[in-house]
Amino acid sequence: MGALQSLPGNPEYLDLAEKTGFSFEQIKILHKRFKQLSHNEEALQRDHFNAIPDLACNPIRSQIIEAFFDRRNFRQNGEGIVEEIRFEEFLLVMSHFRPPSLHKIEEQRDSVRREKLKFIFNMHDTDNDGTITLEEYRHVVEELLSLSEGLEKDTAKSIADAAMLEVASISMGHMEPDEFYEGITFEHFLKLLNGFEIESRMNIRFLNMDTTTLCK
Amino acid sequence: MAELRPARFRRSCSLTLTGFMCVLLLVLVSVVSASREVVSGNNETWRDPDRETQEDPHHQTNSTAHKKAFPVLSFNYDYVRKPFEISLWILLALLMKLGFHIIPNVSNIVPESCLLIGVGLLVGGVIKAIGEEAPVLDTKLFFLYLLPPIILDAGYFLPIRDFMENMGTILVFAVVGTLWNVFFIGGMIYGVCQIEGAELGSVDLLSCLLFGSIISAVDPVAVLAVFEEIHINELLHILVFGESLLNDAVTVVLYHLFEEFSHAGTVTVVDALLGVVCFFVVSLGGVMVGVIYGILGAFTSRFTSHTRVIEPLFVFLYSYMAYLSAEVFHLSGIMSLIACGVMMRPYVEANISHKSYTTIKYFLKMWSSVSETLIFIFLGVSTVAGPHAWNWTFVIFTVVLCLVSRVLGVIGLTYIINKFRIVKLTKKDQFIVAYGGLRGAIAFSLGFLLTNSEMKNMFLTAIITVIFFTVFVQGMTIRPLVELLAVKKKKESKRSINEEIHTQFLDHLLTGIEDICGHYGHYHWKDKLNRFNKTYVKRWLIAGERSTEPQLISFYNKMEMKQAMMLVESGNTGKLPAIMSSVSMQNIQPSAKRRAIPSISKSREQEIRKILRGNLQQTRQRLRSYSRHDLMIDPFEDNVSEIRLRKQRVEMERRMSHYLTVPANRQETPPVRKVCFEPEHQVYTYDDSESPRGQRALPDPSPPDALSLLNEPSQRPNQSRERRAKVPEEEQDQLILSRCFSDPGPNKEEDLS
């Protein structure tokens, strides 16, 4: 993560760097972006996110924005939703997308995996009860397909149902006809995406290089 | 006792087989050479009888005493000579390949390519011993007929996602790595040639560089042949394989460059600059040619819904034309072929029928397999046949330098590349990449193209030695090394719907985060490309409603179809699918009310139904007249295992109802035969075409049974209810089945696509 360079006049960066693992360069760039987004205010609100034009054509836009205001992603084991976030929280959420360093030992890599998968789990589990129910999963698939026109309503539902069936099969194996599968817990979720290699896929390259190209 | 006999039987079987193969080999070889001899030597005698018999009618009036008996059996080998020999060679090659896989244990230790080269050596040796001239790996034959199928097969099934994600790395390895190899090997060999006492003083720098350019390119055929069998993880596979494909442009340019200049004698800076420009023209031009043909192919496939039978031909021909067109202009044919396949595939696959897809897949695999086999065998034969000029120093130094430069190149480039990669390449990865740099038949053919000289023979010998070394030594040892180093293997599990959902989800998520960061990175551009593809390109190139189908839906449909077919297959072969979880929809959604079965698009439905029908249905069918343009279903005739089959079908259909959610909301009134299936092992046949009479039910156990095709309950309430009254506990299943399988029947369809 780069050596700790002593930048004069930025003692708070030290604290942030330690908490999130970003380098000073990266924190500086993100701070600039934060100020740009929030029009130089101290805190970001949902409207600021909604104002980003590129985000408009993203089908899961609302879920991404919600993720920024979700206390569970602030690494403090909190819960609930906030209305506005400061730079520290912004950075904490962003830190989930940091690429893992090369020589991580197996445990560290595992914890990185868990962390990233927990982020996605939190995005799916909107009512905060620790499981992804069938309704929530259906909502996920519907959102994903929301931008394609001419889609029949039930297709999304059937896809979600098939997916749920698969999760249940993988996690539970054998169930009696009258048992009820509550929902996907985090452990099931981990098992489900076992082969997914998320630690190498869920990364933003931007955070790897020291670039000052801020478009827009 | 019972175990000994099969084992002994097997051993004696394999011994017999080996013996048989050897005998066959010798027989074929002798036939080939004998026929040659006969034809060339005794042409005169064979032609005479013909002439005589021809002249006979003319001279009949003159020489009645001369009359010859009408030849009942005559021998005219000359007429079929060329195709006969070609077929014989191909047959021999394939029988060898067959033999290797039957003989146990051999194919585990030695990769197939080695065995085939060995066979080629043997055949070449035998031919030489007889004193005949062996067929050599003609360059035109190789580049125009043997190489394209292999490259097309590789390009059409290239994993696009992995390829694009690692494109930068692959390009660096292909371009910079090959350049490094060329100049290092060429330069060092020149240095070696200057050593006194090696008798190599006549070799000048340009010839050395030319030699370097021939020998340094990693060969796709050899890489495919070896890597196919070791199943390493996708990243390494795509790195080595992608490099072997993309370095073709570099090879082409450098080869032509040095060849031109070795005649001219000197190289100026302008020439070098022109070379660089030429490189860009060759590679980008090749890609462009491929893309144009790919788009043409995709566009053509949009209109083939009425002539399904020739669909695969379009794919093959457009790709081959792309290759040839690129070769006309000395552009990189390989890159053109790859670009064509990659471009065409997503659109063609959305347009063509399932059978055409299978045809394309199998034909490509078949042709590439034959080509590969022939290439290796010819390599062996040419080794024995060709003129050799063995020079210890040259050859040994070539082999050593190849290895050294490859290792140095990979290490150096990886150091630079890792600065830009998220997933770094570990030492193990680097080793496999370096070790997988095999040389093959392309190098040999390029060497063969050189103008004849003393140096050419020496070069050829060195090239052959390097090829043999890499294929035999590296090819044989890479598998145990992969095991030893515990390199990650290919992921065996198939893609699940959850992974697909999350792949899409992750793509959108990362695009969103990039937008929030304000950084126009990978995902941003990928997203833009996808949207462009969806709005403009797909509309033009994909027929019908598939053009607006999002990827998740097509994946889901594909998966449903696959599962339906899997169940059908297992039903046909008499085995039920292995492990099926007993979890069903009831466990997830315990709502008492029957949920409305959702719908998928109509044409998809049709396809699924057709597949199911084609495999399950066993109605007594009126035979249609044979037509070359239609694909017919064969009625399945098996009276013996009827009951077993019926039992399996019940099972299968019950399980299928869990997976397949094909509705039949539409009321169809098919005026054709329908068959109703009862779990009580009684079969009733309806014949709607003859009946407004309603309930004509003939118990008819002799035709093997079929799929149940109950119509919508509302249409025939009496019958269905009657039926259902008999089996109340099966009601649910029947309901599901009725929703699932309403079928217009066989007579209506044009072709089973």
Side-chain angles (χ1 to χ4, degrees):
Chain A
M1 292 296 94
L4 289 178
Q5 308 143 3
S6 51
L7 278 173
N10 284 316
E12 70 257 27
Y13 279 10
L14 201 64
D15 187 36
L16 286 173
E18 225 161 289
K19 266 203 216 161
T20 59
F22 284 128
S23 71
F24 283 172
E25 273 293 326
Q26 292 166 339
I27 296 181
K28 214 162 71 153
I29 295 169
L30 285 170
H31 203 169
K32 231 165 57 174
R33 178 63 178 172
F34 181 85
K35 286 203 264 235
Q36 199 184 27
L37 281 178
S38 69
H39 306 295
N40 277 321
E41 291 171 27
E42 272 304 313
L44 268 182
Q45 284 149 4
R46 286 194 178 78
D47 294 330
H48 295 130
F49 281 107
N50 283 327
I52 305 174
D54 288 321
L55 218 46
C57 20
N58 201 320
I60 56 172
R61 171 175 53 136
S62 48
Q63 286 167 310
I64 299 179
I65 298 177
E66 276 310 308
F68 274 91
F69 294 93
D70 190 342
R71 277 244 203 93
R72 286 175 295 175
N73 295 329
F74 293 165
R75 293 174 188 274
Q76 288 155 353
N77 297 329
E79 282 195 359
I81 310 208
V82 293
E83 287 305 314
E84 54 178 38
I85 53 173
R86 296 166 298 134
F87 181 55
E88 183 177 333
E89 278 97 27
F90 182 74
L91 215 54
L92 280 166
V93 172
M94 282 298 189
S95 68
H96 283 103
F97 295 94
R98 231 190 46 218
S101 57
L102 176 57
H103 299 293
K104 273 209 185 314
I105 54 182
E106 196 56 41
E107 291 169 350
Q108 285 177 316
R109 190 173 303 186
D110 207 37
S111 75
V112 166
R113 250 179 81 78
R114 286 183 79 96
E115 182 190 303
K116 294 192 197 270
L117 281 176
K118 191 81 173 63
F119 186 85
I120 297 192
F121 187 81
N122 290 341
M123 281 181 83
H124 292 331
D125 181 20
T126 42
D127 62 358
N128 218 339
D129 62 353
T131 56
I132 305 178
T133 61
L134 183 62
E135 279 308 318
E136 286 169 344
Y137 213 25
R138 276 189 185 156
H139 183 67
V140 170
V141 177
E142 268 163 22
E143 287 290 300
L144 265 182
L145 297 174
S146 58
L147 283 191
S148 20
E149 338 78 17
L151 205 57
E152 297 190 14
K153 269 281 178 325
D154 290 331
T155 320
K157 260 178 54 190
S158 63
I159 294 181
D161 291 341
M164 201 71 178
L165 195 59
E166 199 181 71
V167 181
S169 313
I170 293 178
S171 328
M172 307 289 283
H174 175 76
M175 282 178 89
E176 296 303 319
D178 51 357
E179 281 184 74
F180 177 55
Y181 183 64
E182 303 279 336
I184 313 178
T185 62
F186 184 52
E187 292 306 320
H188 291 169
F189 194 65
L190 278 178
K191 198 164 156 197
L192 180 70
L193 293 181
N194 205 7
F196 200 54
E197 292 208 2
I198 197 155
E199 63 268 20
S200 44
R201 290 170 81 156
M202 186 164 144
N203 300 308
I204 299 285
R205 198 173 280 267
F206 159 74
L207 302 176
N208 216 9
M209 297 191 292
D210 297 319
T211 137
T212 50
T213 56
L214 282 179
C215 320
K216 243 211 69 7
Chain B
M1 241 329 240
E3 289 109 34
L4 284 180
R5 235 183 286 135
R8 225 184 302 143
F9 179 70
R10 231 178 290 131
R11 234 180 299 129
S12 65
C13 213
S14 61
L15 280 176
T16 329
L17 273 167
T18 332
F20 176 71
M21 304 294 311
C22 298
V23 168
L24 189 63
L25 179 59
L26 287 171
V27 163
L28 285 169
V29 164
S30 51
V31 165
V32 167
S33 51
S35 61
R36 275 252 189 87
E37 193 190 79
V38 162
V39 171
S40 55
N42 305 355
N43 256 337
E44 297 306 315
T45 40
W46 285 126
R47 283 223 196 91
D48 276 349
D50 290 300
R51 234 184 295 133
E52 268 195 41
T53 45
Q54 266 178 19
E55 288 174 326
D56 247 346
H58 300 294
H59 293 300
Q60 201 141 57
T61 48
N62 298 351
S63 47
T64 44
H66 220 336
K67 188 169 167 202
K68 234 172 134 185
F70 182 75
V72 174
L73 195 65
S74 49
F75 185 89
N76 188 1
Y77 181 66
D78 207 22
Y79 182 58
V80 298
R81 182 175 148 215
K82 196 131 193 260
F84 191 84
E85 284 179 1
I86 295 176
S87 307
L88 205 58
W89 272 105
I90 299 182
L91 195 60
L92 162 72
L94 294 176
L95 282 171
M96 286 297 119
K97 198 173 161 115
L98 191 68
F100 295 141
H101 285 284
I102 296 183
I103 300 175
N105 288 332
V106 172
S107 47
N108 290 341
I109 307 175
V110 188
E112 210 175 83
S113 38
C114 303
L115 290 170
L116 289 170
I117 294 186
V119 168
L121 285 173
L122 210 63
V123 171
V126 167
I127 292 184
K128 199 158 192 181
I130 298 182
E132 278 301 317
E133 196 187 308
V136 197
L137 189 58
D138 181 27
T139 309
K140 203 166 106 169
L141 172 72
F142 176 74
F143 276 115
L144 291 185
Y145 299 110
L146 291 179
L147 190 61
I150 301 179
I151 304 293
L152 180 60
D153 178 38
Y156 196 77
F157 294 108
L158 199 65
I160 299 292
R161 213 188 161 90
D162 293 326
F163 190 68
M164 289 301 170
E165 275 176 17
N166 295 299
M167 181 64 111
T169 314
I170 294 177
L171 274 176
V172 169
F173 274 129
V175 178
V176 181
T178 312
L179 279 174
W180 155 259
N181 276 346
V182 169
F183 286 106
F184 185 76
I185 295 179
M188 297 296 276
I189 280 286
Y190 182 61
V192 165
C193 291
Q194 305 298 24
I195 297 178
E196 299 295 329
E199 303 149 15
L200 292 167
S202 58
V203 185
D204 59 327
L205 180 62
L206 274 171
S207 305
C208 285
L209 285 174
L210 181 59
F211 176 70
S213 73
I214 297 176
I215 198 72
S216 41
V218 178
D219 187 81
V221 180
V223 164
L224 264 179
V226 170
F227 272 48
E228 207 65 27
E229 300 179 357
I230 62 178
H231 300 298
I232 52 171
N233 61 51
E234 290 97 354
L235 172 66
L236 288 177
H237 187 255
I238 200 67
L239 279 182
V240 182
F241 184 59
E243 179 196 342
S244 69
L245 289 177
L246 294 185
N247 66 20
D248 181 58
V250 181
T251 311
V252 164
V253 170
L254 284 178
Y255 179 79
H256 287 300
L257 199 73
F258 290 132
E259 207 193 14
E260 284 290 316
F261 297 142
S262 65
H263 295 311
T266 55
V267 185
T268 63
V269 180
V270 178
D271 294 325
L273 227 58
L274 280 178
V276 172
V277 172
C278 185
F279 166 71
F280 283 107
V281 166
V282 161
S283 49
L284 293 175
V287 170
M288 214 168 60
V289 170
V291 164
I292 292 176
Y293 274 100
I295 293 182
L296 279 176
F299 191 64
T300 312
S301 73
R302 192 180 158 184
F303 302 105
T304 55
S305 51
H306 299 289
T307 45
R308 294 281 185 198
V309 190
I310 57 174
E311 268 173 347
L313 277 175
F314 282 118
V315 172
F316 301 141
L317 288 173
Y318 274 113
S319 314
Y320 195 45
M321 292 287 283
Y323 180 76
L324 295 175
S325 310
E327 287 288 328
V328 167
F329 298 104
H330 271 238
L331 304 173
S332 166
I334 291 184
M335 291 185 81
S336 160
L337 204 48
I338 303 278
C340 184
V342 163
M343 188 70 202
M344 231 182 1
R345 186 178 174 200
Y347 308 109
V348 162
E349 281 195 353
N351 282 331
I352 61 178
S353 69
H354 189 78
K355 277 204 172 169
S356 298
Y357 171 71
T358 311
T359 308
I360 292 179
K361 191 165 85 161
Y362 274 104
F363 261 84
L364 282 178
K365 297 281 174 214
M366 183 184 81
W367 273 327
S368 68
S369 187
V370 170
S371 280
E372 200 180 287
T373 312
L374 278 175
I375 288 178
F376 282 119
I377 288 194
F378 269 122
L379 207 55
V381 172
S382 311
T383 308
V384 177
H388 290 303
W390 182 270
N391 185 315
W392 278 102
T393 335
F394 192 76
V395 171
I396 300 232
F397 266 98
T398 310
V399 175
V400 167
L401 280 174
C402 278
L403 286 174
V404 167
S405 86
R406 176 82 184 157
V407 170
L408 287 179
V410 168
I411 293 184
L413 286 175
T414 316
Y415 179 72
I416 301 177
I417 289 173
N418 270 346
K419 294 209 174 43
F420 296 96
R421 278 181 69 90
I422 292 186
V423 180
K424 320 272 183 203
L425 294 177
T426 63
K427 287 262 185 308
K428 258 193 253 178
D429 296 335
Q430 292 175 39
F431 176 73
I432 295 291
V433 171
Y435 207 66
L438 307 171
R439 312 317 201 248
I442 291 187
F444 180 76
S445 309
L446 283 177
F448 224 76
L449 272 178
L450 290 173
T451 49
N452 264 318
S453 64
E454 176 58 34
M455 277 191 299
K456 173 179 168 179
N457 294 338
M458 189 171 67
F459 285 172
L460 268 182
T461 315
I463 292 173
I464 288 185
T465 317
V466 173
I467 295 179
F468 272 49
F469 182 81
T470 54
V471 172
F472 277 91
V473 174
Q474 286 179 238
M476 272 204 264
T477 54
I478 200 168
R479 197 196 302 226
L481 276 174
V482 161
E483 303 284 333
L484 195 68
L485 293 175
V487 178
K488 214 166 19 156
K489 294 285 193 104
K490 184 153 64 164
K491 198 169 56 159
E492 282 305 336
S493 55
K494 12 184 231 277
R495 289 273 293 260
S496 68
I497 186 89
N498 278 295
E499 287 194 359
E500 181 67 23
I501 291 178
H502 281 97
T503 309
Q504 299 259 311
F505 189 80
L506 206 57
D507 275 344
H508 287 299
L509 174 64
L510 291 171
T511 311
I513 298 285
E514 275 193 359
D515 290 332
I516 293 178
C517 284
H519 174 67
Y520 283 176
H522 268 205
Y523 291 98
H524 181 93
W525 293 117
K526 209 160 79 150
D527 188 57
K528 273 224 160 92
L529 186 67
N530 277 339
R531 267 187 280 139
F532 172 73
N533 190 18
K534 199 162 78 155
T535 31
Y536 297 110
V537 184
K538 274 193 182 172
R539 273 191 222 284
W540 278 101
L541 297 181
I542 299 185
E545 60 196 26
R546 299 282 311 266
S547 59
T548 50
E549 200 178 60
Q551 198 194 342
L552 193 57
I553 308 270
S554 33
F555 179 83
Y556 175 64
N557 289 335
K558 227 191 275 187
M559 209 188 63
E560 290 246 294
M561 201 137 68
K562 256 193 224 163
Q563 274 178 336
M565 287 191 49
M566 183 181 81
L567 287 167
V568 159
E569 289 277 319
S570 59
N572 270 347
T573 58
K575 287 183 300 188
L576 289 174
I579 300 170
M580 302 268 260
S581 166
S582 63
V583 178
S584 68
M585 275 318 294
Q586 272 183 298
N587 297 110
I588 297 182
Q589 224 191 345
S591 50
K593 182 174 65 142
R594 197 102 193 93
R595 65 183 174 91
I597 298 182
S599 61
I600 59 178
S601 71
K602 184 168 165 181
S603 54
R604 278 307 188 163
E605 220 180 281
Q606 296 275 30
E607 273 196 80
I608 296 180
R609 279 202 204 132
K610 277 183 187 164
I611 292 169
L612 292 173
R613 192 193 323 125
N615 280 294
L616 292 177
Q617 195 166 38
Q618 297 167 25
T619 51
R620 218 188 287 134
Q621 212 181 1
R622 288 187 211 97
L623 285 174
R624 295 193 289 166
S625 57
Y626 177 71
S627 158
R628 239 190 301 174
H629 302 289
D630 284 345
L631 298 172
M632 257 179 40
I633 339 166
D634 292 317
F636 183 78
E637 282 147 4
D638 184 8
N639 290 319
V640 179
S641 47
E642 210 179 272
I643 294 183
R644 181 171 60 90
L645 285 171
R646 278 190 215 149
K647 267 212 186 103
Q648 283 169 5
R649 283 209 179 81
V650 179
E651 259 311 297
M652 200 160 54
E653 281 150 8
R654 195 178 294 136
R655 284 167 200 240
M656 254 199 281
S657 66
H658 286 149
Y659 289 96
L660 204 51
T661 53
V662 178
N665 296 328
R666 310 185 308 282
Q667 302 274 334
E668 283 180 27
T669 55
V672 291
R673 271 170 177 245
K674 281 193 295 204
V675 175
C676 170
F677 172 65
E678 285 294 324
E680 295 168 331
H681 310 310
Q682 274 179 319
V683 178
Y684 296 80
T685 13
Y686 295 97
D687 204 348
D688 281 349
S689 52
E690 304 166 14
S691 77
R693 270 175 277 168
Q695 296 186 11
R696 257 196 50 188
L698 319 153
D700 194 356
S702 57
D705 53 63
L707 196 52
S708 88
L709 303 167
L710 288 176
N711 209 346
E712 284 287 337
S714 53
Q715 239 194 340
R716 288 158 154 290
N718 304 330
Q719 287 168 338
S720 332
R721 232 175 273 139
E722 202 180 71
R723 261 277 120 36
R724 256 184 264 140
K726 292 187 189 166
V727 276
E729 70 274 8
E730 299 294 326
E731 183 181 302
Q732 281 240 314
D733 278 74
Q734 294 287 40
L735 207 61
I736 296 169
L737 288 172
S738 72
R739 299 266 179 94
C740 288
F741 304 120
S742 83
D743 196 306
N747 293 356
K748 258 183 115 165
E749 53 169 312
E750 332 84 59
D751 68 325
L752 188 67
S753 52

